[in-house]
């Protein structure tokens, strides 16, 4: 391929090709939740509408655009094509090598995922790059509030949170980050319309969570050679005048003035012991720990708990990985003392079902080729880290806590417990029986809550839980003796976006204790 100098002249073609606006511009493949790749067809008119809408977001067209995104990630179209159609210089780089380059000019435009941005904030080279940018767009993943605030303080120009499925042409909404404002995904680009609806397609009022349906200029041509899937995800909408819409699969809410707020994926709800939880809330809480730089969680295969994978900050000696994990190859378990400290921190924010049961540390969280967090690898780590299945049979269960559990269970069930690996309910127990067990165990274990009994349903698991409660109580007493003059830590600031209300309500129920009998 010939290379032209900036002041060189290229010969003009004899005739420019005539391309219909509704003809395909490209096909971008995405894997989706099924794991089978599907090609999304985007037309020329979709792309030009995106470029025109993108112009309105920035204060000015930048002189230089940094192109560091993989060609398999559709935001690269902004870097490679929007930039050239606006007369920008394109600086070809990568998210890794850009940190070592001296030729990045001040005021450049840059895009990356929140995961990559968080890595940049943790190194001097990354912070130096962010401090020279004219504008930063983060997209591809939910943007956490703490990262948004940090980026707004580091980047001289605007920091923009971008949202958009590939099926709706790169960006559907854009929102400029404002300090002390809950993170939103913002208002739709010109020509794009976003509808927040219930399961029957009825519009929902502001503040109510609902399914996001997208219509307008961003809707592409469906999936390449997948007519059934196209008809399912790109239906004609009677309530939108028959326009074709895209069912995003995302749950959002609308706030007048600030726009849409992303809540979660509708098809990726995680349930632990029957309770619906949000992994993002757990991860955000873990990042508030002073020794944690980044965190990710994955549900255990049996859906009885959550595994936490933590990237420690420099100087957090008890969290620093050793061995293979020091190179990022694989996670290693945390020490019991470190896990207990993290659990105490998380318990101030989260319900019992949301508290991780597996704690591991790793040098680097796994990333996909697009720079997003690789949750498939996390699921594999969680599967390997899950405790072995309880043995069945009549083997003895030793320890003082085990003796107490067996004695109480036998009293409530009315028969001898011979299988410590069977659940309370499989042995004939009921919810009313659980309350009796709680009343009998609490005099000896005052920190035990009803949620703990529903979570640890075998005699072996409950005995281990009671032992952990005892250890935590002993640690707390030791801390109190060492620091008698210190006051209790201040409670975390109340959330202004309402995302923690359900968690606080469930936590209150989980901490229920029976009244003393009169």
């Amino acid at each position: 391929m010939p290379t032209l100098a900036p002041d060189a002249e290229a010969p003009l073609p004899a005739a420019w090709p005539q391309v219909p606006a509704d003809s395909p511009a490209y096909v971008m493949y995405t894997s989706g939740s099924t794991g089978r790749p599907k090609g999304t067809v985007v037309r020329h008119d979709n792309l030009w509408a995106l470029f025109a809408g993108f112009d309105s977001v920035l204060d000015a067209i930048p002189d230089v655009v940094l192109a560091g995104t993989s060609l398999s990630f559709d935001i690269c179209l902004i870097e490679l094509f929007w930039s050239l159609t606006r007369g920008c210089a394109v600086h070809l780089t990568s998210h890794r090598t850009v940190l070592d380059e001296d030729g990045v000019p001040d005021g450049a435009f840059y895009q990356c995922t929140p995961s990559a941005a968080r890595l940049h904030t943790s190194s001097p080279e990354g912070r130096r790059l962010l401090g020279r940018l004219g504008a930063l767009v983060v997209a591809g993943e939910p943007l956490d509030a703490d990262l948004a605030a940090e980026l707004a303080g580091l980047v001289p120009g605007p920091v923009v949170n971008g949202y958009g499925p590939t099926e709706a042409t790169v960006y559907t909404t854009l929102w400029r980050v404002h300090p002390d404002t809950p993170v939103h995904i913002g208002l739709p680009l010109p020509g794009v319309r976003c509808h927040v609806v219930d399961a029957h397609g009825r519009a929902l009022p502001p503040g109510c969570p609902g399914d996001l349906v997208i219509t307008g200029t961003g809707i592409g041509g469906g999936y390449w050679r997948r007519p059934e899937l196209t008809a399912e995800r790109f239906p004609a909408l009677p309530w939108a005048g028959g326009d074709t819409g895209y069912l995003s699969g995302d749950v959002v809410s609308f706030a007048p003035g600030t726009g849409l707020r992303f809540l979660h994926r509708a098809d990726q709800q995680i349930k632990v012991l029957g309770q619906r939880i949000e992994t993002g809330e757990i991860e955000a809480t873990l990042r508030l720990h002073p020794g944690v730089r980044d965190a990710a969680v994955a549900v255990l295969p049996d859906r009885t708990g959550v595994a936490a994978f933590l990237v420690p900050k420099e100087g957090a000696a008890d969290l620093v990985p050793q061995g293979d994990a020091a190179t990022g190859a694989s996670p290693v378990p945390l020490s019991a003392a470190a896990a207990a400290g993290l659990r105490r921190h998380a318990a101030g924010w989260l319900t019992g079902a949301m508290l991780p049961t597996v704690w591991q540390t790793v040098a680097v969280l796994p990333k996909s080729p697009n720079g997003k967090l690789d949750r498939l690898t996390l699921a594999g780590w969680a599967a390997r880290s899950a405790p072995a299945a309880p043995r069945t049979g009549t083997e003895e269960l030793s320890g003082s806590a085990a003796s107490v559990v067996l004695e109480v269970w036998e009293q409530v069930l009315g028969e001898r417990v011979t299988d410590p690996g069977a659940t309370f309910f499989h042995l004939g127990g009921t919810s009313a029986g659980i309350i009796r067990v709680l009343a009998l165990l609490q005099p000896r274990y005052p920190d035990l809550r009803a949620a703990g009994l529903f979570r640890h349903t075998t005699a072996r698991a409950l005995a281990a839980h009671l032992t952990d409660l005892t250890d935590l109580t002993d640690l707390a007493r030791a801390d109190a003796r060492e620091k008698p003059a210190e006051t209790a830590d201040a409670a975390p600031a109340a959330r202004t976006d309402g995302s923690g209300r359900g968690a606080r309500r469930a936590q209150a129920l989980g901490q229920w204790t029976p009244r003393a009998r009169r």
Side-chain angles (χ1 to χ4, degrees):
M1 178 180 294
T3 301
L4 297 177
D7 56 350
E9 293 185 2
L12 294 176
W16 293 101
Q18 298 297 316
V19 180
D22 60 352
S23 62
Y26 63 87
V27 176
M28 182 71 68
Y29 277 82
T30 60
S31 62
S33 57
T34 64
R36 179 186 174 187
K38 51 187 184 291
T40 299
V41 179
V42 175
R43 304 184 305 266
H44 282 271
D45 58 343
N46 301 138
L47 201 56
W48 282 107
L50 166 71
F51 290 173
F54 201 78
D55 291 342
S56 64
V57 176
L58 303 179
D59 295 333
I61 302 298
D63 292 330
V64 176
V65 171
L66 302 179
T69 302
S70 164
L71 294 178
S72 63
F73 192 5
D74 61 353
I75 68 172
C76 73
L77 295 163
I78 295 293
E79 301 169 357
L80 299 177
F81 296 108
W82 172 81
S83 56
L84 294 177
T85 60
R86 269 52 183 173
C88 307
V90 179
H91 183 104
L92 298 178
T93 182
S94 74
H95 296 306
R96 292 183 179 179
T97 58
V98 70
L99 302 180
D100 302 323
E101 295 177 3
D102 296 328
V104 176
D106 292 341
F109 171 88
Y110 182 55
Q111 294 182 124
C112 65
T113 63
S115 294
R118 191 177 291 277
L119 287 175
H120 290 339
T121 63
S122 64
S123 70
E125 297 83 5
R127 297 174 76 87
R128 184 170 60 250
L129 169 69
L130 295 172
R132 300 170 61 183
L133 296 178
L136 170 68
V137 176
V138 287
E141 298 171 313
L143 175 62
D144 294 316
D146 65 315
L147 179 60
E150 187 171 11
L151 292 174
L154 289 172
V155 178
V159 177
V160 178
N161 185 29
Y163 163 83
T166 300
E167 292 83 347
T169 314
V170 188
Y171 289 126
T172 298
T173 66
L174 293 167
W175 179 76
R176 185 174 294 198
V177 172
H178 299 282
D180 303 321
T181 300
V183 173
H184 286 67
I185 57 175
L187 297 170
L189 295 177
V192 178
R193 294 183 296 277
C194 293
H195 312 266
V196 184
V197 301
D198 63 12
H200 303 286
R202 296 174 297 194
L204 293 171
C208 291
D211 298 324
L212 174 59
V213 180
I214 305 168
T215 62
T217 57
I219 302 304
Y223 298 118
W224 177 251
R225 296 179 177 176
R226 301 282 295 275
E228 297 85 2
L229 186 59
T230 297
E232 176 187 341
R233 299 303 296 272
F234 293 83
L237 305 172
W239 46 266
D243 288 349
T244 298
Y246 173 66
L247 310 182
S248 70
D250 293 327
V251 177
V252 301
S253 64
F254 176 74
T258 52
L260 296 171
R261 178 171 163 265
F262 176 85
L263 300 178
H264 55 77
R265 285 286 300 169
D267 56 358
Q268 291 181 353
Q269 284 288 300
I270 292 177
K271 281 192 173 182
V272 173
L273 297 171
Q275 296 186 41
R276 183 174 289 124
I277 66 173
E278 297 295 339
T279 57
E281 188 171 358
I282 303 174
E283 292 164 353
T285 297
L286 297 179
R287 292 190 194 105
L288 294 176
H289 188 278
V292 175
R293 178 164 61 86
D294 204 357
V297 300
V299 68
L300 297 176
D302 59 3
R303 303 280 171 174
T304 61
V306 172
F309 305 99
L310 310 174
V311 178
K313 287 183 179 178
E314 190 173 345
D318 55 337
L319 303 182
V320 173
Q322 303 295 328
D324 290 341
T327 63
S330 60
V332 294
L334 284 170
S335 66
L342 286 160
R343 185 180 177 86
R344 287 199 301 273
H345 161 79
W349 284 70
L350 305 175
T351 67
M354 299 172 78
L355 291 176
T357 55
V358 174
W359 298 89
Q360 299 204 343
T361 182
V362 67
V364 180
L365 293 176
K367 297 290 188 297
S368 70
N370 290 346
K372 299 181 182 180
L373 183 64
D374 186 352
R375 293 200 177 272
L376 186 61
T377 297
L378 288 179
W381 286 356
R384 290 193 295 272
S385 65
R391 298 188 305 273
T392 59
T394 58
E395 70 273 9
E396 291 296 326
L397 194 61
S398 60
S400 60
S403 300
V404 173
V405 169
L406 292 176
E407 179 183 348
V408 168
W409 275 27
E410 290 172 357
Q411 179 179 343
V412 172
L413 295 170
E415 60 183 29
R416 186 166 181 266
V417 177
T418 59
D419 184 1
T423 71
F424 181 79
F425 300 103
H426 287 161
L427 295 174
T430 63
S431 297
I434 283 285
I435 302 304
R436 290 186 60 201
V437 170
L438 178 63
L440 292 170
L441 288 177
Q442 271 202 324
R444 183 159 182 174
Y445 300 97
D447 292 332
L448 179 63
R449 299 291 181 264
L453 295 178
F454 282 100
R455 186 174 191 178
H456 306 282
T457 56
T458 69
R460 180 180 292 106
L462 181 55
H465 177 58
L466 295 179
T467 301
D468 289 342
L469 287 178
T470 303
D471 293 342
L472 287 172
T473 302
D474 292 343
L475 282 170
R477 289 173 179 168
D479 289 343
R481 287 194 298 269
E482 291 176 5
K483 297 180 282 190
E486 291 188 7
T487 58
D489 292 340
R495 301 186 181 191
T496 59
D497 57 9
S499 62
R501 293 173 185 168
R504 291 195 295 273
R505 186 182 304 114
Q507 188 176 45
L509 291 173
Q511 292 176 343
W512 176 85
T513 57
R515 294 179 179 177
R517 295 179 180 176
R518 295 181 178 177

